[in-house]
Amino acid sequence: MIPVQGLTGARVAVLGLGRSGLAAARALRAGGAQALVWDDNPEARARAEDEGFATRALLRVGAFDDIARLVVSPGIPHLYPRPNPVIAAALRAGVPVDNDIGLFFQSFATPDWAMFDTAPRVIAVTGSNGKSTTSALIHHILEHAGRDAQLAGNIGRGVLDIDPPVSGGVVVLELSSYQTELARSLTPDIAVFTNLSPDHLDRHAGMGGYFAAKRRLFAEGGPDRAVIGVDEDEGLFLAGQLSEGRGDDRVIRVSVAGKLGGPGWNVVARKGFLSETRGGKQAASIDLRGVAGLPGAHNHQNACCAYAACRSLGLAPRVIEAAFHSFGGLPHRSQLIGERDGVRFVNDSKATNVDAAAKALSAFDNIRWICGGLEKEGGLDGLAAASGSVRKAYVIGREAAGFAMQLRPEAEVCTTMQAAVDRAVAEAEPGDTVLLAPAAASFDQYDSFEARGDDFVRLVRAHLDR
């Protein structure tokens, strides 16, 4: 646990008692603060009371009169599409609003570090797609290299649940826009921006607000080194803002869309080969085509980002390359479930938006595509260019018929995952890939993308076991 510093003796309200909220309450208590907690769910409040926390209804009159700070869970909106009433009440009372990420950065460094040979480091990863894989890959490379490393944030452990760092330790954080937008303190040593595509637009009032939330990690945080995917205009703009000149190697530009020139520090993947250039000269090259856990150009971008972050820590290219080959990938992200009679089955349930699904489609040939769900803003036009390898689509979801009408490949309305898997299996031929890449949220039929992916895996394995 990371005890919260700077709030000793203060009363701090905690809104939302999921994983991050309870962890924040525990860390506040460990740091000498009094956490007063609330959740609309009575069961969540009961669990907190069982741990000795006092609850407080935060909408009653005078609830914030003695509160020094309000800490909120990431899923609770604080501005758009409208502020949560509790957050609005705190702001009217002049109470600062924060989250567990802000508390972490406020509390991570301690006087004990004076005894360390090497100060601990924090690598923070954000972006629309690939941030989980990139974070997990960085963590895997560091462990492969014998470095003490912890994985936290949206993946792994809660940020305040991790162990206090040791000398030379590295904490890898996956951070969503919900987290970067609100944290009052953001001070990573290395910050990574993978890419940007439309997502969570209602929460951020459009693309400008969404990009601004991501940008805070770099503008507010002032990292020593920034790894920036520059294949979108926003990333290119961000790299330009952070750089002092063409040769400024504090910014590492990453691309999988084209060659990057100039005297700066660049990491590019083209046609399956990762290339690092610095000062206009090639420093290293890695063949990614045989890396089973990182299929497709989108995973090659993840590899470039992870490579650049680890090179910033001084790891040798060949050490990183060896770690690539032992990386098994993450569940629900280009996850190979199995193969039978020449047909592969791949679970990419995390492809919850059009851009992520398009990248998944571009990684395979002869695709039997299971897609559909709760459609996000912006429509499905972005899938057209990537659907050339699709032999047929099998559409799930409550609005499957409307979803199917927007697709260019032949599409069959299946509605349920069971029907989609059964039809895809029945029609698949040797050389085909049955791919779940929904291009939509899961909440019309499932509680999460994980639950949707687990259902797909269960049905596929039942087929493979026959």
Side-chain angles (χ1 to χ4, degrees), residues 276-345:
E276 176 192 1
T277 58
R278 196 169 184 180
K281 298 180 180 179
Q282 182 167 299
S285 177
I286 297 174
D287 186 351
L288 299 172
R289 294 172 299 174
V291 180
L294 296 167
H298 61 302
N299 274 311
H300 293 174
Q301 182 184 57
N302 299 334
C304 287
C305 289
Y307 176 93
C310 291
R311 287 288 284 143
S312 297
L313 293 177
L315 272 64
R318 294 308 166 209
V319 171
I320 300 173
E321 180 178 12
F324 281 168
H325 285 279
S326 59
F327 180 66
L330 291 177
H332 313 298
R333 299 159 177 88
S334 297
Q335 177 190 11
L336 177 62
I337 305 305
E339 185 172 342
R340 180 175 177 178
D341 299 330
V343 178
R344 289 185 297 175
F345 296 86

Side-chain angles (χ1 to χ4, degrees), residues 225-230 248-254 265-267 308-309 311-312:
R225 180 156 280 123
V227 176
I228 309 291
V230 296
D248 186 355
D249 66 1
R250 294 174 302 170
V251 177
I252 307 178
R253 291 171 171 82
V254 167
W265 195 347
N266 303 319
V267 180
R311 287 288 284 143
S312 297

